[in-house]
Amino acid sequence: AQKKRAPSYVGVFSKTLEKRIHRELTLKDGLSEAIELNQFHLLYQPIVRASDCHVVSFEALLRWTLNQENIPPDEFIAIAEQYGQIRHIGAWVLEQACKTASLWPKHIAVCVNVSVVQLQDDDFVALVVRLLERYQLSAERLHIEMTESVFTSDISFLSEQIQALQDLGVKVSIDDFGTGYSSLSSMQDLAVDTVKIDRSFVNNIDSNGHAIITAVMQIAKALDYSVVAEGIETQQQLESLRQLNVDYLQGYYFAKPLTEQAVQQLLSSSAAPKLIRGS
Ligand code: C2E
Ligand code: MG
Ligand code: MG
Ligand code: MG
């Protein structure tokens, strides 16, 4: 006689788990040929000086289209880190960003997200030197945004790498400051140039975010870091952040991430493009 199957919760759970693993492996396989198949491109989001809203730099943000689907970087970067693909992809990003920025006016910098996994690589600094040379980009125009998605055990090597980049003239920032591992200890152990306050605090600026940003500003000023706030979406947030003396601002209120062509258009519209709504 056939045995009746008891309803299995394990089965339900393993179905979702199975789906997740399948998705992860599909993305992993896809990532390994995404460069060759031209599936990546970069968008560039302006960063403005808080005092007058002049554009000072653009952050390069990676986009991946796989079978008509836009896979968000928050999903695929983690996979690329996990499967050792981030070095290859990161080198591609860095090269594209340097090449593009070399066409911009000399006072405009490009900010590139670099995973701590890449920074741990012995060859990373040499790669930066090579690309700056190849595209005749002065080091001051390259900003490295360190994204700390995995815990770093070798903080002293990381600190050496950061110093080597700074010796070249490259600026280094801690991204998503205040979240995950990017906390006070990284400020203590790593002498960076800039901290980028995570957008969750800007989003909460009417409540607890205000006190937190105030505290971050105090520490940043004492340690001589400049501060960028991310995720500004309203005029009110702009005003509050100005009052808190945040140096630079980035967010949909000024502009969404733009194509290379849209950046060119913006940069050719004026010698010192300014981004304020309705003006
Ligand atoms: P991130 O470096 O903190 O970049 C800022 C993210 O916030 C971007 O998301 C941007 O599109 C989004 N954003 C900007 N302004 C606003 C706003 O006003 N409101 C809201 N809701 N969002 C805003 P995106 O492009 O999806 O990138 C997500 C993350 O993926 C980045 O966060 C970064 O950690 C990572 N990432 C992106 N490109 C690269 C890359 O080339 N290399 C590495 N290693 N990581 C990358
Ligand atoms: Mg960033
Ligand atoms: Mg960030
Ligand atoms: Mg982030």
Side-chain angles (χ1 to χ4, degrees), residues 207-240:
S207 52
N208 292 344
H210 194 274
I212 292 170
I213 297 173
T214 305
V216 171
M217 287 310 297
Q218 217 159 35
I219 300 169
K221 290 302 135 182
L223 295 174
D224 206 22
Y225 295 153
S226 62
V227 178
V228 183
E230 310 187 291
I232 288 83
E233 293 183 354
T234 68
Q235 165 89 37
Q236 222 181 344
Q237 291 168 342
L238 160 66
E239 296 306 339
S240 307

Side-chain angles (χ1 to χ4, degrees), residues 59 61 113 145 147 175-176 196 230:
E59 177 176 9
L61 294 160
N113 291 289
E145 295 191 1
T147 59
D175 208 345
D176 303 337
K196 291 192 82 170
E230 310 187 291

Side-chain angles (χ1 to χ4, degrees), residues 63-81:
R63 294 294 177 261
W64 182 28
T65 314
L66 176 66
N67 307 323
Q68 265 93 263
E69 188 191 355
N70 294 319
I71 319 281
D74 278 327
E75 185 175 11
F76 72 77
I77 293 291
I79 293 173
E81 286 176 340

Side-chain angles (χ1 to χ4, degrees), residues 145-208:
E145 295 191 1
M146 192 174 80
T147 59
E148 215 181 7
S149 53
V150 285
F151 183 72
T152 330
S153 49
D154 197 349
I155 201 95
S156 74
F157 183 62
L158 189 60
S159 152
E160 276 172 38
Q161 295 279 83
I162 290 172
Q163 185 62 54
L165 291 168
Q166 290 170 326
D167 289 345
L168 296 172
V170 172
K171 299 264 183 282
V172 180
S173 18
I174 299 180
D175 208 345
D176 303 337
F177 187 77
T179 68
Y181 300 109
S182 299
S183 57
L184 292 176
S185 66
S186 55
M187 237 179 181
Q188 174 167 268
D189 299 332
L190 304 171
V192 295
D193 302 283
T194 306
V195 296
K196 291 192 82 170
I197 297 177
D198 191 70
R199 70 164 183 269
S200 56
F201 302 111
V202 172
N203 208 20
N204 266 316
I205 201 160
D206 288 329
S207 52
N208 292 344

